[in-house]
Amino acid sequence: MKLTKMKMFLLIPLIVTFTQPTVSKNTYSLKYENDIPIVIINAESDYEYGFVEGKFFIEYYGENYVKSTIFKFCRLWLKEAKEHMTILEKYYPSFLDRLRGFSEGTGIPLLDLIAFELIFPSIFMGKDACTTAAVSSRQTSDNQSYISWNIDVSYIYKIIFSRYFSPPPIIVCNISGKYKYIKFGVLSSVFGFGLLNEKGLAYSAAMVEVNDTGEGLTSLELNNLAMESCATVDEVESLYKNAERRSGIKKPDTAFGLTSNMNTLWIDANGNALLLEYTHRYFASKKADILAETNHHQLLDSHLTGAPKNNSFINTSSYVRLKRAYELLYNYRGNINIEFFKEIFTRDHNKGFVKGKRDLWDICRHSLNTPNFPWDIFRYSYGTVCALIIQPKEYLAYYCPGHPCLIPFKTLDFSDELK
């Protein structure tokens, strides 16, 4: 018997209802370790993960905080969000499912979330931000591998990202059929980077501005895809090399270049370290026992990519920090351990604009002692707002919620969650 158009119309809501993903109850737990909130989310699907994370953030931050006017502001970029949604449907549909779940869990429209993912970093990050390093166990004194990340963003980070000046939660992402990994960032489904997965793969990154424009997956999306599917740096290298990669000039639809242009460092449980530099069209990689990265290209030709050259005050900072990073790493080669990263590397002030003084050219960055101080504080109101050191063999993370030269690191043990 043929169905009439009216009967077909009446069946549509039933079909939609029957195909909606189910969401379990009590699928996250919250604990505190050294006053840092750790959230474990267990989910059968990406949609469920996003839904549960959305519900958690509503409870943790408060509904008014999560549904703030920033999402309404993001509607200025709905056209770009629609275009990027088609990219996710093609290249990373499970991440789009995650965003759909988050949208359902928070009540924030899906396109608002995608627009937020695209433009949010530009509000907080300067184009010249972050210093990273990776050292294989073959070059350390304790047979441990390390990866470090001085995260340099706007100083309003501690107000906007955090509640009552406490750090944002660290999320343990456990989706059935994928590698478990820990994520760090506010509203982690839409702006959160994976740091370490159950296979001992660890990550850090530094933003670089380029002018090679092209659509594809953002650096944040590539990071999450690698964390949930890769066990070694070789697998990461293959994924990034063959992916459709997003990059672009400094304009709104590429988050002013920020979401799509990140130099990335990786290290795996075997002590193999990897440096990746890429744009939409260009890709380069390097494996070595000692690697560092800042905010320009070491491997790619900056004349092709448009990456910063050593020709201005702010760009020179990147070159000085990279040179200093390698100087420290090679000087201490064979004697590198966790104390080296805590007490020497992440808090270094010995080769900046003014030697021994705190300024923007240091690995530990401050908007002080710059040529036009105090006006530089208004021009460059950012610096090292926190630092992370990962010891992947032991599933340990060391977190400093401020300048490492002023605030001690807190130890976080993820062995129970990731093993």
Side-chain angles (χ1 to χ4, degrees), residues 289-304:
D289 286 341
I290 293 178
L291 291 168
E293 187 61 285
T294 51
N295 313 109
H296 62 277
H297 284 154
Q298 301 176 60
L299 309 178
L300 292 173
D301 185 346
S302 61
H303 294 91
L304 295 176

Side-chain angles (χ1 to χ4, degrees), residues 24-39:
S24 305
K25 294 182 179 179
N26 302 318
T27 49
Y28 80 81
S29 59
L30 172 64
K31 68 175 186 177
Y32 285 82
E33 187 170 347
N34 281 330
D35 299 322
I36 306 298
I38 311 293
V39 183

Side-chain angles (χ1 to χ4, degrees), residues 111-319:
L111 285 176
D112 289 8
L113 287 176
I114 295 173
F116 179 85
E117 183 205 345
L118 293 178
I119 73 163
F120 179 69
S122 64
I123 300 170
F124 300 101
M125 295 177 69
K127 69 176 183 177
D128 181 53
C130 300
T131 302
T132 66
V135 180
S136 166
S137 55
R138 292 179 284 274
Q139 298 293 334
T140 61
S141 61
D142 54 6
N143 198 35
Q144 295 288 325
S145 298
Y146 295 96
I147 194 165
S148 76
W149 190 355
N150 276 43
I151 299 175
D152 305 338
V153 297
S154 169
Y155 283 137
I156 62 174
Y157 168 91
K158 294 307 296 178
I159 300 173
I160 302 298
F161 274 44
S162 306
R163 186 184 189 189
Y164 309 131
F165 297 94
S166 64
I170 292 177
I171 310 293
V172 180
C173 178
N174 183 17
I175 301 173
S176 181
K178 301 180 178 183
Y179 295 142
K180 291 181 288 184
Y181 63 103
I182 59 171
K183 298 172 68 176
F184 177 79
V186 64
L187 301 178
S188 296
S189 277
V190 286
F191 187 56
F193 287 94
L195 300 174
L196 173 68
N197 74 9
E198 65 177 272
K199 295 298 181 179
L201 180 69
Y203 166 94
S204 64
M207 202 286 286
V208 59
E209 194 174 52
V210 301
N211 61 17
D212 176 36
T213 303
E215 258 294 1
L217 297 179
T218 68
S219 185
L220 179 146
E221 292 157 359
L222 286 168
N223 160 269
N224 280 268
L225 181 57
M227 276 291 163
E228 68 188 34
S229 63
C230 296
T232 66
V233 296
D234 290 337
E235 293 176 2
V236 172
E237 182 181 32
S238 177
L239 186 154
Y240 274 70
K241 185 176 182 179
N242 296 303
E244 196 71 15
R245 303 178 299 268
R246 178 182 176 92
S247 70
I249 59 176
K250 193 173 183 179
K251 59 179 184 175
D253 67 314
T254 58
F256 303 93
L258 294 171
T259 57
S260 42
N261 306 298
M262 302 284 277
N263 293 331
T264 67
L265 282 181
W266 301 82
I267 201 159
D268 62 27
N270 298 318
N272 298 315
L274 172 71
L275 164 62
L276 296 180
E277 294 179 354
Y278 69 87
T279 65
H280 180 70
R281 291 184 296 164
Y282 304 107
F283 176 88
S285 61
K286 179 182 179 179
K287 294 172 185 172
D289 286 341
I290 293 178
L291 291 168
E293 187 61 285
T294 51
N295 313 109
H296 62 277
H297 284 154
Q298 301 176 60
L299 309 178
L300 292 173
D301 185 346
S302 61
H303 294 91
L304 295 176
T305 65
K309 301 173 182 62
N310 192 7
N311 58 4
S312 70
F313 168 77
I314 198 66
N315 290 348
T316 297
S317 168
S318 179
Y319 285 81

Side-chain angles (χ1 to χ4, degrees), residues 373-401:
F373 179 82
W375 307 114
D376 284 340
I377 289 181
F378 299 102
R379 291 186 63 198
Y380 312 117
S381 59
Y382 64 91
T384 301
V385 297
C386 64
L388 289 159
I389 307 163
I390 306 293
Q391 191 175 332
K393 275 188 180 181
E394 307 300 329
Y395 299 102
L396 292 174
Y398 306 89
Y399 173 65
C400 170

Side-chain angles (χ1 to χ4, degrees), residues 13 73 89 94 102 129 137 160 192 244 287 323 327 334 362 405:
F73 169 75
E89 287 173 339
S94 61
F102 194 92
S137 55
I160 302 298
E244 196 71 15
K287 294 172 185 172
K323 182 179 179 181
E327 180 180 295
D362 292 321
C405 67

Side-chain angles (χ1 to χ4, degrees), residues 4-16:
T4 65
K5 289 184 178 180
M6 178 59 71
K7 288 178 179 178
M8 287 289 289
F9 177 78
L10 292 173
L11 280 173
I12 289 173
L14 295 177
I15 294 169
V16 172

